[in-house]
Amino acid sequence: MRRHAAFNRASKLAVPVLLLLAAAIPWLTSNPYYLDIVVKVFIWTIVVNGMNIIAGYTGQLSLAHAGFFGIGAYTFGLLMTKAAMPFLPSLVIAVLVTGLVGSVAGMISLRLKGHYFAIFSLCVGVVLLLVIEKWESLTEGVRGLLGIPIPKIGSFEFASMTSQYYLMLFFLVLTMFVNHRIIHSLVGRTFIAIRHSEELAEALGINVMRNKIIAFVHSTVLAGLAGALYAGYIRFLGPDIASVEHSFDMLLYLLVGGIGTLWGPLVGTALVMILMQWLQSWQEYRMIIFGPVLVLLVLFLPYGIIGTLTRLMHKRRLGQPLTQKQAVERSVLHDQSLAGGGE
Amino acid sequence: MPLGVMEMELFFQQIVNGLVLGSIYSLVALGITLIYGIMQLPNFAHGHLYMLGAYLTLWMMTIYGFRYWTAILVSVAALFLIGMLLERLVFRPLHNAPHINSMIAAVGVMLFLEAVARKLWGSDYRRLDSPYGEVISVFGVTITQQRVIIIVAAIILMIGLNLFLKRTVIGSTIEAMAQNREGAFLVGIDANKVSLLTFGIAAGLAAAAASLAAPINLVYPSMGAMVNLKAFVIIVLGGMGSIPGAVIGGYILGLAESISGTYINSEYKDLVAFVILILILTVKPTGLFAKEAR
Amino acid sequence: MMLKAEKLTKRFGGNTAVHAVDFHIKQGEITAIIGPNGAGKTTFFHLISGFHKPTSGRLLLQGKDVTDKPPYTMAKMGVARTFQTTKLFAEATVIDNLIIGHRLRTKSGLWDAVMRTNRYRKEERECREKAMKALEFVGLPELADRPVASISQEAQKRVAIALALSTDPTLVLLDEPAAGINADETSGIAALIRKMKEAGLTVCIIEHKMQMIMSLADRIMVLNQGMKIAEGTPEEISRNETVIEAYLGGAHHAQTD
């Protein structure tokens, strides 16, 4: 029991310690190469957090998220370049536009269930990609959108790597805070109830369709935010950022970290992206190794890293009840409804 | 020549092109729908098996100097084995895991196959020269022999598959299992053997489709991605697991693409499939041929 | 009159699962639906809880037409139901399973949840209290923090009923609440259903256990092959020739099969 209390204290400390560590990173290394990787990890973690809400907590596997990332990025990029709008309004409008497109896409696609939804969402993603690629008069097509100005708030320019780093850190922390609040609330319980059994949720008076749309829109808003931040960071856009492979990448990060867990997106994204950088020198052998590793991972570590850890922790304290948090975080893969084939 | 005749010729030309496209789509979609029917697995890697099939045929012809048809046979046989290997090593162990896991595994297979292709054959676009490049004229429509071969071969393959499913014991077992896995289990069907065979056949069909299409398209490592997506559109519309749905859907999509490519805008040709899908599902969320769920 | 069905019919393709059934549930009573396997009981349940849309016919809840209302609207209007398989979230605790039950009476949205507004805190407290009260009603307050997977089959049946009760229903539909539990436990569930009636709830129940139904129900409807073949008090039903025929016929088939 005492160990349990000590453990609780430790986990309470973990978040502030992590935050301090994150804030200190630019002081620990000034190597722009490392900072660049971390910034990208943060950006992708934000969109993977979005995917986690719809796929992990609500049980609807969306493969359209690279498309929404692209919409956020291009809306932001076009507002900054062609409309010459300032940074913050561009960011807000980009996020809103993505959410709007997300709500329309959600209203159509969420009527489908199981694999049908997954495949349909994949097609929605392709449509978004093709629109970005082919609408050359607006997006410049495959030539790419060049010369996005440096983000600026007031007179402060996010020109240095360090300032960009803190900008991303701020939005990442905000994203995870919001998701934490959602997951551990009646709204989150509603999502989980839908993932667990749509039939039961309906019988309990939950408007399943409406809640799925809310979850979907929230997840596309995060995708749009990540896309806009990406555009402001890289300052050049090509249609390939919206390509279907990126949706698969996100799913991969999510699964490696632990789908349906709060920390899974961060852990999975960081681990896979850093691993990829590390394997960069292996050139063409990279994917030859990585593909099988992925298969081995789903075969032998199906709950992801965070999912497996929480399960192990629970095993050690067998006989003690699960807290709500643990129940929420370790249960996702037991639900048959998750991306399950509709009857 | 009067304008009307020219228009008619253009139209028939597009019908033929549509049938060629449709033949390819149908064969790929058939494989995906068979696998889905038996294993409830959307095999995202199917397009990459298609790509592998094309490369193997090309390889057999260029390196070993095989003739076109011999090369196709070798490629189909190889893909049959590779398909079975994938089922045994990757997808069977995941059969009782959450569905999302087998989808991810399929993505892993996809990444692996594409990387292998890049390593072995490079990223360049390659051309497979068919011995059937001659142009012939059928009812005033000019068409290369290769296109006729694609259309005819696809029909023969589909009839063959149908005979196999209806007339042989193992084939009818596959059909029974696609309809009811639990029921099949009860009457003593070896589900594992059926899954294995189904994967082999599906991969073989993909290889055949790719080898037939290769002379009129280009061969490159990511050539399977778009075909794969379109095949998924087809089976969503035709009903996942439905064999007639895959065949009919394939031809409909081929014709729709070819005709809209000519009369609307060829730039947006690839969009046609997805727009059709979205329009139809907006009106009828259960797909075209889906039965009412009980 | 709590609920009234007029000529309710449901067809699937060519099969008629429920054919022109007239039926009603009186306020404060326990009404039972019985019938041999495949008689259309569950389909009928799905019809009156909104899970199936009837092919034809009308459904009235306290005089209001609710024929095409979706299940969640039915639930909000006071119709709660359980399922044959309990559908509980086995990995979560009992109380965590129950909290969502009162969600339909709350209004907090995403914003309230993120900002933890006063309304949100009040509503979350209400949900928790409601869940605990429902758990006390079914007699299992001590199991609140146990994972559902670790409690007995009978306790799970009770928790499923508690979940239905936490929606603040006026009419509770129970789909085979005593399936798969032993005789002692069955009488415990029967007592619980009686307690629900005493608390002023209207109950409708599908059950195979005839003894339990005969002692519990105020009124019984018998379905066979999708059609109503009898309706009345337990005494009337037990004397009804058609019912005996249908059941014996069924038993006879079961033996020869």
Side-chain angles (χ1 to χ4, degrees):
Chain A
M1 217 53 212
R2 260 211 6 246
R3 232 175 54 199
H4 184 49
F7 174 80
N8 268 352
R9 261 203 312 281
S11 67
K12 272 210 178 91
L13 270 175
V15 173
V17 168
L18 267 177
L19 268 175
L20 271 176
L21 196 72
I25 281 182
W27 304 89
L28 298 175
T29 174
S30 53
N31 187 334
Y33 173 72
Y34 291 137
L35 275 185
D36 174 65
I37 295 174
V38 181
V39 166
K40 283 180 184 152
V41 166
F42 285 1
I43 293 173
W44 287 103
T45 303
I46 292 174
V47 50
V48 176
N49 261 298
M51 209 163 183
N52 198 20
I53 289 289
I54 187 71
Y57 286 98
T58 320
Q60 312 299 312
L61 180 63
S62 164
L63 295 171
H65 274 58
F68 291 110
F69 184 90
I71 294 199
Y74 267 90
T75 310
F76 175 86
L78 290 170
L79 289 173
M80 291 280 278
T81 52
K82 299 200 173 174
M85 269 178 51
F87 170 66
L88 276 181
S90 301
L91 187 70
V92 171
I93 294 174
V95 169
L96 289 179
V97 166
T98 314
L100 199 70
V101 177
S103 61
V104 174
M107 273 182 244
I108 299 170
S109 57
L110 287 163
R111 298 195 295 169
L112 303 173
K113 293 191 171 152
H115 288 143
Y116 281 82
F117 172 75
I119 293 167
F120 187 76
S121 69
L122 187 68
C123 296
V124 170
V126 177
V127 170
L128 297 178
L129 165 70
L130 289 176
V131 166
I132 289 172
E133 193 178 293
K134 305 288 183 197
W135 195 351
E136 287 183 1
S137 58
L138 184 73
T139 65
E140 306 295 328
V142 287
R143 268 170 290 148
L145 192 63
L146 301 155
I148 298 169
I150 297 172
K152 225 167 99 173
I153 296 176
S155 59
F156 183 79
E157 272 202 336
F158 290 89
S160 70
M161 192 57 116
T162 313
S163 63
Q164 281 278 359
Y165 173 86
Y166 284 115
L167 182 70
M168 301 309 166
L169 182 62
F170 168 77
F171 280 108
L172 175 66
V173 171
L174 183 70
T175 299
M176 289 188 61
F177 172 76
V178 167
N179 270 12
H180 171 81
R181 280 272 169 105
I182 290 175
I183 292 161
H184 300 289
S185 77
L186 289 175
V187 179
R189 285 175 187 275
T190 311
F191 294 164
I192 294 167
I194 292 171
R195 175 189 79 197
H196 173 59
S197 164
E198 289 190 21
E199 243 184 356
L200 183 61
E202 285 265 341
L204 294 174
I206 290 167
N207 185 339
V208 168
M209 185 65 188
R210 198 174 143 232
N211 278 283
K212 278 187 192 172
I213 291 175
I214 292 172
F216 190 75
V217 171
H218 174 66
S219 78
T220 57
V221 158
L222 289 182
L225 173 67
L229 291 172
Y230 176 87
Y233 176 65
I234 304 285
R235 296 172 49 217
F236 158 80
L237 290 175
D240 60 306
I241 56 156
S243 73
V244 173
E245 286 89 79
H246 283 312
S247 289
F248 285 132
D249 286 346
M250 294 169 200
L251 186 58
L252 162 66
Y253 302 155
L254 187 55
L255 203 86
V256 169
I259 185 166
T261 67
L262 180 67
W263 292 92
L266 180 61
V267 171
T269 310
L271 198 79
V272 178
M273 285 186 74
I274 290 168
L275 196 73
M276 285 297 210
Q277 286 298 324
W278 185 58
L279 286 177
Q280 192 105 61
S281 52
W282 298 30
Q283 297 288 347
E284 57 219 19
Y285 291 103
R286 197 162 63 142
M287 284 298 169
I288 297 182
I289 297 164
F290 192 69
V293 165
L294 190 54
V295 172
L296 291 176
L297 211 97
V298 291
L299 279 174
F300 299 110
L301 206 64
Y303 302 98
I305 290 164
I306 299 293
T308 307
L309 281 180
T310 33
R311 295 180 79 80
L312 282 177
M313 251 155 52
H314 175 61
K315 237 182 201 161
R316 266 183 44 193
R317 291 189 276 130
L318 202 73
Q320 283 187 35
L322 287 85
T323 63
Q324 185 220 335
K325 194 175 155 190
Q326 284 168 328
V328 162
E329 305 215 320
R330 56 185 289 266
S331 44
V332 54
L333 285 158
H334 274 258
D335 287 9
Q336 278 304 305
S337 57
L338 179 71
E343 291 281 285
Chain B
M1 202 182 283
L3 197 68
V5 174
M6 269 178 74
E7 270 178 1
M8 281 306 280
E9 263 178 33
L10 183 66
F11 179 73
F12 281 122
Q13 193 78 51
Q14 293 322 312
I15 295 284
V16 171
N17 286 343
L19 288 176
V20 171
L21 267 179
S23 303
I24 311 291
Y25 292 157
S26 293
L27 289 177
V28 178
L30 262 176
I32 295 177
T33 212
L34 277 175
I35 291 174
Y36 189 83
I38 299 294
M39 306 180 74
Q40 276 73 52
L41 162 79
N43 180 23
F44 290 132
H46 209 71
H48 282 71
L49 296 173
Y50 172 90
M51 172 273 293
L52 207 59
Y55 267 114
L56 284 179
T57 302
L58 180 69
W59 209 19
M60 291 301 129
M61 287 175 74
T62 50
I63 310 249
Y64 298 105
F66 282 29
R67 284 185 315 160
Y68 183 54
W69 291 107
T70 326
I72 291 184
L73 272 182
V74 173
S75 164
V76 169
L79 261 291
F80 183 77
L81 291 177
I82 291 171
M84 292 207 295
L85 203 66
L86 281 179
E87 195 276 340
R88 186 65 197 87
L89 292 182
V90 178
F91 295 110
R92 189 185 302 176
L94 285 169
H95 188 74
N96 291 319
H99 291 89
I100 201 168
N101 289 25
S102 38
M103 287 196 220
I104 286 283
V107 174
V109 171
M110 206 170 91
L111 296 174
F112 174 71
L113 292 180
E114 190 167 328
V116 166
R118 279 188 206 286
K119 180 76 200 110
L120 288 178
W121 301 299
S123 302
D124 304 335
Y125 287 65
R126 307 246 207 136
R127 183 169 285 286
L128 189 154
D129 291 316
S130 154
Y132 306 101
E134 273 171 57
V135 174
I136 54 173
S137 175
V138 187
F139 305 118
V141 178
T142 50
I143 175 171
T144 58
Q145 280 178 340
Q146 183 64 31
R147 284 172 193 266
V148 180
I149 286 174
I150 293 173
I151 295 174
V152 175
I155 291 172
I156 292 173
L157 278 171
M158 284 176 211
I159 292 174
L161 181 70
N162 192 47
L163 286 177
F164 172 72
L165 292 178
K166 301 277 184 213
R167 296 287 165 82
T168 65
V169 178
I170 186 78
S172 45
T173 319
I174 291 181
E175 244 202 337
M177 222 176 104
Q179 274 155 15
N180 186 347
R181 191 178 175 97
E182 313 291 296
F185 185 70
L186 288 178
V187 296
I189 291 174
D190 183 352
N192 285 337
K193 210 167 104 189
V194 174
S195 302
L196 197 66
L197 191 66
T198 305
F199 233 100
I201 292 173
L205 283 174
S211 311
L212 288 167
I216 60 164
N217 289 320
L218 292 168
V219 180
Y220 52 99
S222 58
M223 65 185 272
M226 197 43 101
V227 177
N228 192 45
L229 282 171
K230 286 177 184 168
F232 270 109
V233 170
I234 291 163
I235 67 163
V236 167
L237 289 177
M240 279 157 80
S242 157
I243 292 171
V247 175
I248 298 166
Y251 283 114
I252 291 178
L253 180 64
L255 290 168
E257 277 192 357
S258 154
I259 289 170
S260 62
T262 318
Y263 295 102
I264 304 168
N265 186 343
S266 64
E267 262 292 282
Y268 294 106
K269 202 188 90 191
D270 279 341
L271 259 171
V272 170
F274 306 103
V275 171
I276 291 177
L277 178 75
I278 289 172
L279 285 180
I280 288 179
L281 289 185
T282 308
V283 183
K284 202 167 179 299
T286 47
L288 279 182
F289 305 108
K291 297 166 277 189
E292 187 188 358
R294 180 153 181 162
Chain C
M1 197 70 62
M2 176 58 71
L3 183 112
K4 193 159 186 277
E6 294 171 357
K7 298 247 172 299
L8 221 49
T9 299
K10 180 68 184 176
R11 273 191 289 272
F12 296 103
N15 302 332
T16 306
V18 170
H19 183 68
V21 171
D22 284 316
F23 174 68
H24 64 273
I25 297 171
K26 282 200 192 115
Q27 178 114 34
E29 281 194 353
I30 296 176
T31 310
I33 302 173
I34 62 170
N37 277 329
K41 299 186 299 289
T42 299
T43 308
F44 189 75
F45 237 45
H46 280 321
L47 284 172
I48 60 177
S49 54
F51 277 85
H52 284 333
K53 286 203 193 316
T55 313
S56 64
R58 251 174 25 124
L59 189 68
L60 301 165
L61 181 68
Q62 293 177 313
K64 279 192 285 271
D65 191 324
V66 291
T67 312
D68 287 323
K69 291 274 185 280
Y72 67 86
T73 311
M74 295 297 278
K76 280 189 183 149
M77 294 175 80
V79 181
R81 68 164 291 181
T82 65
F83 295 87
Q84 254 172 53
T85 47
T86 55
K87 291 186 186 285
L88 293 172
F89 196 170
E91 294 247 319
T93 60
V94 168
I95 193 75
D96 277 324
N97 265 282
L98 291 178
I99 286 173
I100 198 66
H102 201 59
R103 172 71 171 138
L104 78 171
R105 308 287 173 217
T106 63
K107 292 194 164 59
S108 308
L110 214 56
W111 178 256
D112 298 286
V114 173
M115 302 315 288
R116 291 287 192 265
T117 58
N118 286 334
R119 169 162 84 177
Y120 177 80
R121 276 184 297 223
K122 181 172 148 280
E123 289 187 345
E124 189 178 276
R125 208 166 45 239
E126 280 170 11
C127 283
R128 205 169 274 278
E129 283 164 9
K130 203 61 173 184
M132 211 50 221
K133 258 171 78 183
L135 199 57
E136 277 158 17
F137 187 91
V138 301
L140 301 173
E142 72 282 0
L143 294 185
D145 292 324
R146 291 270 298 276
V148 166
S150 74
I151 65 175
S152 72
Q153 190 71 24
E154 187 222 353
Q156 291 188 16
K157 298 261 175 198
R158 284 173 183 266
V159 172
I161 293 173
L163 187 54
L165 294 179
S166 60
T167 65
D168 271 350
T170 47
L171 168 63
V172 185
L173 310 174
L174 302 172
D175 194 348
E176 296 199 28
I181 56 177
N182 68 31
D184 273 1
E185 293 166 338
T186 301
S187 57
I189 295 282
L192 174 61
I193 295 170
R194 231 171 256 123
K195 187 178 169 191
M196 286 160 67
K197 181 185 170 182
E198 280 156 23
L201 288 166
T202 308
V203 179
C204 178
I205 171 173
I206 295 182
E207 189 49 76
H208 275 301
K209 294 185 175 169
M210 216 42 86
Q211 217 181 341
M212 174 188 182
I213 289 299
M214 288 299 170
S215 68
L216 199 61
D218 296 304
R219 243 164 19 83
I220 298 176
M221 171 174 78
V222 189
L223 287 179
N224 191 23
Q225 296 177 342
M227 278 182 278
K228 181 167 87 177
I229 57 169
E231 192 174 17
T233 61
E235 294 73 44
E236 287 163 3
I237 294 298
S238 61
R239 286 195 305 268
N240 187 306
E241 289 294 321
T242 332
V243 175
I244 295 165
E245 180 84 3
Y247 268 86
L248 285 180
H252 180 66
H253 271 292
Q255 267 172 5
T256 49
D257 273 356

